């Protein structure tokens, strides 16, 4: 199919598409979104964060909300937002096929208390736990707050996705503070299950540097499932909430159907998304 037939629009320029493929990420300004679309998501955030359940992960302090998974399933405004023609058009241009949502989450990175995310690639989890055969997935991180150098911005090693999967060590023990939790929680905490070799990180960061894209609320950060990324704890008095939606192509569904992760972590529904009106 043609790159744009899901929505009929091609919001990204050739230069933006090339930059994404070269560096592994692309930052778009808030004007990329239709006016008022961010506000519909922001209105739903307090309710998303308040809803207790297995899909809500706390920090090690057992009080602060770290992440809430699956908001596109539970909140109609996030569902509509995730199907905005501009977003679907952009991810379709980047992935070259029709898409569905493999996973969504709000990462809170709370003021004073939001913990780190260690260096990792997302794809190792999606291959190992969900059986997704190709890394042709893109994350769309929507800034729900202004992201600055102080509140724990996502930090990338540009071009690191060209190295494929940097097979990390797979820890078989549960992270400290989460010992009694379900196994799948091991991939969602401040201690990564798949640890990246530090010599490899030093080499890649030495060659390519590190970049932490920053911008006002409403900015959109697209990043490849194999680009190395991390974020520091938030010691600032300001939160850094992100809505992160991982889009996958319909031709690349999970193959682990015998022992699938819960729906809120790895969608079992892989039909192509229809653009919201
Ligand atoms: C992620 O790695 O998916 C998110 C990290 C962050 O929220 O800083
Ligand atoms: Mn990640």
């Amino acid at each position: 199919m043609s790159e744009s037939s899901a929505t009929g629009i091609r919001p990204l320029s050739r230069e933006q598409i090339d930059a994404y493929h070269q560096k592994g990420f692309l930052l778009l300004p808030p004007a990329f979104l239709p006016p008022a679309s961010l506000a519909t998501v922001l209105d739903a955030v307090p309710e998303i964060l308040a809803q207790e359940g297995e899909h809500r992960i706390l920090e090690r302090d057992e009080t602060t909300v770290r992440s809430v998974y699956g908001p596109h399933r539970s909140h109609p405004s996030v569902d509509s937002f995730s199907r905005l023609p501009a977003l679907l058009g952009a991810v379709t241009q980047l992935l070259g096929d029709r898409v569905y949502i493999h996973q969504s989450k709000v990462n809170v990175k709370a003021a004073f208390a939001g913990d780190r995310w260690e260096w990792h690639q997302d794809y190792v989890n999606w291959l190992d736990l969900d059986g997704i055969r190709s890394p042709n997935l893109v994350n769309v991180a929507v800034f729900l707050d202004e992201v600055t150098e102080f509140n724990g911005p996502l930090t990338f090693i540009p071009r690191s996705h060209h190295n494929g999967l940097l097979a990390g060590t797979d820890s078989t023990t549960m992270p400290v503070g989460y010992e009694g939790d379900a196994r799948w929680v091991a991939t969602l905490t401040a201690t990564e299950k798949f640890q990246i070799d530090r010599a490899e990180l030093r080499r890649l960061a030495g060659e390519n540097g590190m970049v932490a894209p920053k911008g006002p609320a409403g900015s959109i950060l697209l990043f490849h499932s194999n680009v190395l990324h991390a974020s520091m704890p938030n010691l600032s008095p300001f939160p850094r909430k992100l809505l992160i939606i991982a889009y996958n192509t319909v031709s690349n569904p999970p193959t682990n159907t015998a022992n699938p992760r819960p729906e809120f972590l790895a969608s079992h529904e892989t039909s192509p998304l229809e653009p919201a009106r």
Side-chain angles (χ1 to χ4, degrees), residues 60 66 116 118 175-176 186-193 195:
R60 282 179 279 202
R66 175 175 176 82
R116 67 189 177 183
E118 291 184 324
V176 174
T187 59
L188 313 178
T189 77
T191 308
E192 277 296 321
K193 177 173 167 65
Q195 293 276 325

Side-chain angles (χ1 to χ4, degrees), residues 66-67 69 103 105-109 115-118 120-122 126 139 141 151-155 192 223 229-232 240-242 244:
R66 175 175 176 82
S67 303
Y69 285 81
Q103 185 184 85
K105 61 190 174 188
V106 173
N107 279 356
V108 178
K109 189 79 81 168
D115 211 342
R116 67 189 177 183
W117 291 78
E118 291 184 324
H120 67 279
Q121 295 169 303
D122 291 333
W126 298 336
N139 283 298
N151 62 358
L154 262 171
T155 303
E192 277 296 321
F223 62 101
H229 58 286
S231 61
M232 294 191 205
R240 189 235 59 184
K241 293 185 293 302
L242 301 180
I244 303 183

Side-chain angles (χ1 to χ4, degrees), residues 1-12 82-93 97-99 247 273-277:
M1 65 166 271
S2 109
E3 276 181 358
S4 61
S5 64
T7 61
I9 62 165
R10 294 166 172 263
L12 300 180
S82 70
R83 295 185 293 107
L84 284 173
L87 284 184
L88 280 192
V91 300
T92 305
Q93 282 182 287
D97 196 356
R98 300 197 75 181
V99 297
Y247 295 87
L273 296 178
E274 291 301 328
R277 307 222 164 258

Side-chain angles (χ1 to χ4, degrees), residues 16 20 25-30 141 143 212-216 218-222:
Q16 288 173 317
Y20 170 85
F25 62 88
L26 177 70
L27 180 66
L28 302 170
F143 293 7
K214 294 170 272 291
S219 305
I220 304 287
L221 180 57
L222 303 146

Side-chain angles (χ1 to χ4, degrees), residues 51-90:
Q51 215 164 59
E52 292 178 30
E54 279 192 311
H55 65 297
R56 194 178 79 161
I57 308 296
L58 301 180
E59 300 283 12
R60 282 179 279 202
D61 64 12
E62 297 183 18
T63 308
T64 310
V65 177
R66 175 175 176 82
S67 303
V68 179
Y69 285 81
H72 75 286
R73 301 171 58 241
S74 53
H75 285 78
S77 59
V78 180
D79 168 49
S80 303
F81 182 92
S82 70
R83 295 185 293 107
L84 284 173
L87 284 184
L88 280 192

Side-chain angles (χ1 to χ4, degrees), residues 3-276:
E3 276 181 358
S4 61
S5 64
T7 61
I9 62 165
R10 294 166 172 263
L12 300 180
S13 66
R14 186 75 253 164
E15 291 71 31
Q16 288 173 317
I17 295 171
D18 289 348
Y20 170 85
H21 287 301
Q22 278 161 18
K23 291 194 213 152
F25 62 88
L26 177 70
L27 180 66
L28 302 170
F32 180 79
L33 294 173
S37 53
L38 178 70
T40 63
V41 173
L42 292 178
D43 284 350
V45 166
E47 198 181 294
I48 292 171
L49 302 190
Q51 215 164 59
E52 292 178 30
E54 279 192 311
H55 65 297
R56 194 178 79 161
I57 308 296
L58 301 180
E59 300 283 12
R60 282 179 279 202
D61 64 12
E62 297 183 18
T63 308
T64 310
V65 177
R66 175 175 176 82
S67 303
V68 179
Y69 285 81
H72 75 286
R73 301 171 58 241
S74 53
H75 285 78
S77 59
V78 180
D79 168 49
S80 303
F81 182 92
S82 70
R83 295 185 293 107
L84 284 173
L87 284 184
L88 280 192
V91 300
T92 305
Q93 282 182 287
L94 296 179
L95 300 181
D97 196 356
R98 300 197 75 181
V99 297
Y100 73 94
I101 295 174
H102 178 58
Q103 185 184 85
S104 72
K105 61 190 174 188
V106 173
N107 279 356
V108 178
K109 189 79 81 168
F112 300 114
D115 211 342
R116 67 189 177 183
W117 291 78
E118 291 184 324
W119 287 109
H120 67 279
Q121 295 169 303
D122 291 333
Y123 180 56
V124 69
N125 295 300
W126 298 336
L127 173 65
D128 189 78
L129 305 173
D130 306 326
I132 291 181
R133 297 247 160 87
S134 158
N136 194 28
L137 297 90
V138 60
N139 283 298
V140 173
V142 183
F143 293 7
L144 302 181
D145 297 300
E146 182 182 11
V147 175
T148 70
E149 66 267 51
F150 304 115
N151 62 358
L154 262 171
T155 303
F156 300 100
I157 299 183
R159 292 177 279 281
S160 51
H161 63 304
H162 294 305
N163 297 264
L165 209 52
L166 300 160
T169 318
D170 178 359
S171 166
T172 52
T173 56
M174 290 299 282
V176 174
Y178 298 88
E179 290 84 352
D181 287 348
R183 293 295 309 164
W184 46 260
V185 175
T187 59
L188 313 178
T189 77
T191 308
E192 277 296 321
K193 177 173 167 65
F194 296 96
Q195 293 276 325
I196 306 282
D197 178 56
R198 288 192 170 170
E200 190 69 359
L201 282 168
R202 202 174 296 120
R203 183 181 74 76
L204 288 168
E207 282 173 10
N208 301 301
M210 292 181 283
V211 177
K214 294 170 272 291
S219 305
I220 304 287
L221 180 57
L222 303 146
F223 62 101
H224 191 279
S225 75
N226 258 341
V227 73
L228 280 165
H229 58 286
S231 61
M232 294 191 205
N234 184 6
L235 298 180
S236 85
F238 309 109
R240 189 235 59 184
K241 293 185 293 302
L242 301 180
L243 166 65
I244 303 183
I245 307 168
Y247 295 87
N248 189 16
T249 61
V250 292
S251 52
N252 187 35
T255 59
N256 178 5
T257 46
N259 184 24
R261 290 198 291 168
E263 175 80 43
F264 59 82
L265 286 180
S267 181
H268 308 161
E269 168 55 55
T270 62
S271 315
L273 296 178
E274 291 301 328

